[in-house]
């Protein structure tokens, strides 16, 4: 059973999520919160598997609440729901440590699949969507992304191949695309990706993408 804390400023929205989740055999709502500060407190008390987080909570917003929940180092993983303002929220949400990012018009079955994926330790944003999101917020990244890469202790533990894999992840490539690029089997790529995430301390693929951008190992996709 996957335990979920529902965070939304609107009572009707919280009720809708509760009805959906409690009608599904493998999910249960263990609590609700109407604002970010309450979400942080209830996440600490209830230790849910997944926090379903709205970005537009009053007072402490969902992005800051996500940052605090992740920083606490507990078991809870955060799945953020927001409006179509992808360019406004996406990068901040992912940098805060969220394990997933979905729009509020996501279909119920996709939301449930996202909750299950996050609870299992995966990221729910597909690599292609990760690439689109990062491109959408490229103007918010630090200047001179094309400059020389900054050395970081986390990179020192990577082999040459693993560093290549990290750069490919940063470009938003799928495992299949990485396998084709380096003439490897997908199972080998999956093993490499797992080792890269472990060595750099990333909870999921999304955080690996952000690290690749932060360290200037890759740069936003240039539009024609």
């Amino acid at each position: 059973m996957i335990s979920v804390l529902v965070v939304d400023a609107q009572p009707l929205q919280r009720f809708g999520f509760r009805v959906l989740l409690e009608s599904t055999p493998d999910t249960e709502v263990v609590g609700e919160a109407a604002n970010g500060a309450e979400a942080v407190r209830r996440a600490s008390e209830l230790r849910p598997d997944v926090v379903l987080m709205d970005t537009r909570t009053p007072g402490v917003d969902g992005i800051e609440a996500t940052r605090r929940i992740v920083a606490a180092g507990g078991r809870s993983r955060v799945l953020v729901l927001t409006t179509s303002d992808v360019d406004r929220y996406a990068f901040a949400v992912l940098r805060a440590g969220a394990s997933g990012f979905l729009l509020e018009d996501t279909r119920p079955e996709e939301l449930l699949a996202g909750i299950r994926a996050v609870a299992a330790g995966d990221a729910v944003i597909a690599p292609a969507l990760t690439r689109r999101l990062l491109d959408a917020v490229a103007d918010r990244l630090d200047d001179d992304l094309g400059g020389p890469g900054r050395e970081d202790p986390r990179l020192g533990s990577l082999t040459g191949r693993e560093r290549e894999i990290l750069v490919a992840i940063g470009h938003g490539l799928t495992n299949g695309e990485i396998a084709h690029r380096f003439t490897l089997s997908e199972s080998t790529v999956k093993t490499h990706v797992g080792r890269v995430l472990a060595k750099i301390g990333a909870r999921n693929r999304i955080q690996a993408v952000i690290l690749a951008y932060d360290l200037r190992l890759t740069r936003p996709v240039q539009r024609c």
Side-chain angles (χ1 to χ4, degrees), residues 92-112:
V93 162
L94 301 180
R95 186 188 289 277
S99 293
F101 180 96
L102 294 175
L103 300 180
E104 288 181 345
D105 60 0
T106 297
R107 294 193 301 269
E109 61 271 21
E110 293 175 337
L111 175 59
L112 292 170

Side-chain angles (χ1 to χ4, degrees), residues 147-162:
R150 296 178 299 187
E151 283 306 315
D152 183 281
R154 289 169 291 184
L155 297 180
S157 64
L158 301 179
T159 65
R161 174 63 80 190
E162 288 167 350

Side-chain angles (χ1 to χ4, degrees), residues 5 7 36-44 48 50-53 62-78 96-97 203:
L5 171 65
V7 183
E38 185 181 6
V40 174
R41 178 176 59 81
R42 301 225 70 192
S44 177
V50 177
V51 179
L52 192 59
M53 180 75 73
I63 297 172
E64 177 59 25
T66 295
R67 184 176 295 110
R68 294 182 189 181
I69 290 171
V70 172
R75 59 178 286 181
S76 301
R77 295 177 180 271
V78 181
R203 298 180 73 181

Side-chain angles (χ1 to χ4, degrees), residues 165 169 175 178 188-198 205:
I165 296 292
I169 293 172
N175 284 355
I178 295 173
T188 299
V189 171
K190 185 176 181 180
T191 298
H192 279 309
V193 170
R195 288 174 178 166
V196 168
L197 296 185
R205 196 181 190 109

